[in-house]
Amino acid sequence: MDINDASSAFAALSQKTRLEVFRLLIGAGPAGMTAGEIGEALGVRQNTMSANLGVLLQAGLVRNEREGRSIRYFADLDGTRDLLTFLMADCCGGHPEL
């Protein structure tokens, strides 16, 4: 991950609803949630939710899978790990394992 990717991820998370969606999907784990379930849980309209999920997808923080007519969303743990690794790269005098 480079600084532009990290900036995109942080920009995506800088909006309240998107941060709530991301946290909700982290909590949902491998089961994920459909867009409708996410919208219902957060009280967000479908078109607003779609736009927010699109931003999170573009930032590499969320992934999706089609299930018939529905789309199930998951926290992209690889993208999240990459972001955290980027943040920790210069930690502790170059020893992030500390």
Side-chain angles (χ1 to χ4, degrees):
M1 175 170 284
D2 64 21
I3 196 149
N4 293 323
D5 294 333
S7 293
S8 175
F10 283 118
L13 294 174
S14 70
Q15 197 271 348
K16 179 182 179 281
T17 301
R18 291 192 294 265
L19 181 57
E20 289 175 333
V21 168
F22 182 68
R23 293 187 72 215
L24 187 64
L25 289 174
I26 290 286
M33 298 176 75
T34 65
E37 291 169 336
I38 297 167
E40 188 174 312
L42 299 178
V44 177
R45 292 188 337 222
Q46 181 182 357
N47 61 338
T48 302
M49 185 53 61
S50 293
N52 284 313
L53 287 165
V55 172
L56 291 167
L57 277 164
Q58 184 70 29
L61 296 171
V62 168
R63 62 182 178 81
N64 63 13
E65 293 178 10
R66 180 162 291 283
E67 291 182 350
R69 296 181 61 194
S70 297
I71 299 176
R72 184 166 294 273
Y73 290 86
F74 308 85
D76 188 328
L77 298 182
D78 290 334
T80 303
R81 188 176 301 109
D82 290 346
L83 179 60
L84 293 173
T85 299
F86 173 82
L87 288 174
M88 300 301 292
D90 296 323
C91 174
C92 308
H95 299 283
E97 69 277 1
L98 296 176

